[in-house]
Amino acid sequence: MSDATFQAPVGTHDVLGPESQLWEGVIATFAQLAYRYGFSMVVSPLFEDVGVFHRGIGEASDVARKEMYVFEDRGGRRLALRPEGTASLVRAFVQHHPVTPWRAWYLTPAFRYERPQAGRYRQHHQLGVEVLGSDDPAIDVEVIALAVRFFRALGITKFRLLINSMGHDACRGAYVEVLRRYLGEHEGELCDEHQKIWSSNPLRVLDCKKPSCVAVTTRGPQLPDYLCDDCRTHFASVVRGLDAIGIASVLSPRLVRGFDYYTRTTFEFVSDVLDSAQNALGGGGRYDKLAEELGGDPTSGIGFGVGVERLLLVRAAEGVSAPLLKRTIDLFVIDTTTQDAATTLVDELRGAGFAVLRAYDQRSMKSQMKVADRSGARLALLIGPQELDSNEVTIRDLRSQDFEQAQTRVPRSAIVSAVAQQLSK
Ligand code: HAM
């Protein structure tokens, strides 16, 4: 085999079968659930004016400062590949004024120039939902419940839901000032990076995973203690609602997440079976100011994104191997005559709804049989010179060891009903 001249870029992956069947299963499971919760699929561009992300996720966020793929197109526009889905979806909402509450689900690649490692890629894929047009805490509960139901449908059970409230502008603003003062007093104890930038966006220090920053912020002032009455009540309703439907949550006062758009409820699902560097299965929260930030009318919003690659890693780490979709081949057609008979037979059977494969290139009977066996098909349909003469097809059950019992010959004109009957046995 010759070496490939080109490889997939660092931090990206090709997903081929049979692994891709798991992807199909994960996506189909999510689409079905999203439909049950009243969401419609939204497809939007993979690149946007860079301003959508600078304003949306915040210029000071790690992703915007260090990880975004920004480029100029031939028309001189400054564009960025989407590092996440929310800002783009809210941009689409502001542009199209759909009826609210707007419930959108999506599957998108997301691009971040990260240091590649297991579970952390430069192109990953997110399944997500966003709801715009209401700040009712019942929606926060529904959105979180959808994610939990999704994980369970995939067989994932070893995870925790971390939750916090970031408050709204006024109460968060007051907290940020207190935090800034506190960080100023402890500047020398922060990690190198945050010693330089703690003052411009103190909340980012809460998101830092380095032990030095964690130690300082754990001892410092905590966001939930500064919430105003409205935000406190909102948060209590969310936690109560989750409790009422049997979803346990762990209050995490330092959970501010990596983007500047979050307000009030923020949450993250962490797996107990992965390393802490990539144990987030998914996360999300409210962003009640984002639509305004992107030029729209004030509109509350909430959503989450989960990483498909992470889901599959966690599923494997939890030892779940059950297939998510039934993907079996029903029939394999073998034609040792001119192969024209196979062409019409395969077409008719696929038209009738069966999953059908066949052999090509005029191979011998023995070689076609080998391919049929390897295909995992339930039945082989054989057309040899005898069958062609008598206008019949031989059906062979590939799972039966008994050669005599395994074979029957049926008229070509009755093949669809004969096959259906055999498959139902
Ligand atoms: P995020 O936490 O940045 O949130 O990403 C969501 C999920 O995508 C993560 O929990 C993780 O499973 C996966 N993920 C993130 N980065 C990578 C990576 N480099 N490699 C592999 N998987 C990764 C968001 O993106 C928000 N838009 C979520 C949201 C929706 N908030 C409100 N609505």
Side-chain angles (χ1 to χ4, degrees), residues 187-419:
E187 184 179 343
E189 298 161 50
L190 300 176
C191 74
D192 289 351
E193 182 184 356
H194 285 113
Q195 284 194 15
K196 291 187 206 113
I197 58 166
W198 63 271
S199 164
S200 58
N201 195 342
L203 288 177
R204 293 278 65 85
V205 184
L206 296 184
D207 207 32
C208 180
K209 304 280 184 293
K210 304 237 171 64
S212 48
C213 285
V214 172
V216 173
T217 55
T218 308
R219 290 193 316 265
Q222 302 297 317
L223 220 171
D225 299 333
Y226 291 80
L227 295 181
C228 65
D229 286 348
D230 277 358
C231 289
R232 207 180 285 269
T233 307
H234 188 276
F235 189 48
S237 303
V238 175
V239 175
R240 215 175 36 245
L242 289 171
D243 222 37
I245 56 170
I247 296 178
S249 56
V250 183
L251 175 66
S252 304
R254 294 171 42 259
L255 180 74
V256 292
R257 310 233 333 117
F259 304 128
D260 285 355
Y261 52 59
Y262 288 114
T263 56
R264 291 195 162 172
T265 315
T266 45
F267 56 90
E268 206 153 86
F269 297 97
V270 293
S271 164
D272 296 331
V273 295
L274 287 191
D275 242 40
S276 68
Q278 67 273 325
N279 66 352
L281 269 170
R286 280 209 158 271
Y287 43 83
D288 292 341
K289 305 293 281 183
L290 181 53
E292 255 176 292
E293 202 61 58
L294 295 178
D297 297 332
T299 314
S300 302
I302 181 167
F304 70 73
V306 298
V308 176
E309 292 85 352
R310 294 272 171 96
L311 288 172
L312 293 177
L313 273 178
V314 168
R315 209 168 171 266
E318 286 199 24
V320 187
S321 57
L324 293 165
L325 281 182
K326 184 184 159 283
R327 278 279 183 270
T328 46
I329 296 299
D330 300 314
L331 314 167
F332 194 100
V333 172
I334 293 172
D335 178 358
T336 55
T337 63
T338 61
Q339 303 239 329
D340 290 347
T343 302
T344 52
L345 183 61
V346 163
D347 187 66
E348 183 179 338
L349 291 163
R350 286 182 180 147
F354 301 107
V356 189
L357 290 179
R358 60 168 286 190
Y360 303 93
D361 303 326
Q362 305 272 4
R363 302 237 188 112
S364 69
M365 171 73 164
K366 199 169 152 208
S367 134
Q368 293 194 43
M369 240 358 249
K370 245 196 220 157
V371 189
D373 276 331
R374 250 189 280 130
S375 74
R378 238 328 262 298
L379 307 175
L381 305 189
L382 289 87
I383 305 165
Q386 282 182 13
E387 283 87 352
L388 204 60
D389 275 353
S390 60
N391 215 4
E392 291 176 311
V393 177
T394 296
I395 304 180
R396 184 184 291 180
D397 187 338
L398 290 173
R399 293 188 193 163
S400 171
Q401 304 298 326
D402 181 339
F403 188 78
E404 287 302 312
Q405 288 241 318
Q407 293 218 143
T408 48
R409 221 190 254 194
V410 299
R412 169 68 181 80
S413 56
I415 190 67
V416 169
S417 57
V419 159

Side-chain angles (χ1 to χ4, degrees), residues 1-21:
M1 227 179 300
S2 61
D3 281 345
T5 310
F6 297 109
Q7 309 266 331
V10 173
T12 70
H13 296 277
D14 301 310
V15 183
L16 314 179
E19 195 201 341
S20 57
Q21 282 183 18

Side-chain angles (χ1 to χ4, degrees), residues 38-52:
F39 287 85
S40 305
M41 188 183 192
V42 169
V43 179
S44 56
L46 291 190
F47 56 86
E48 298 272 355
D49 186 302
V50 70
V52 170

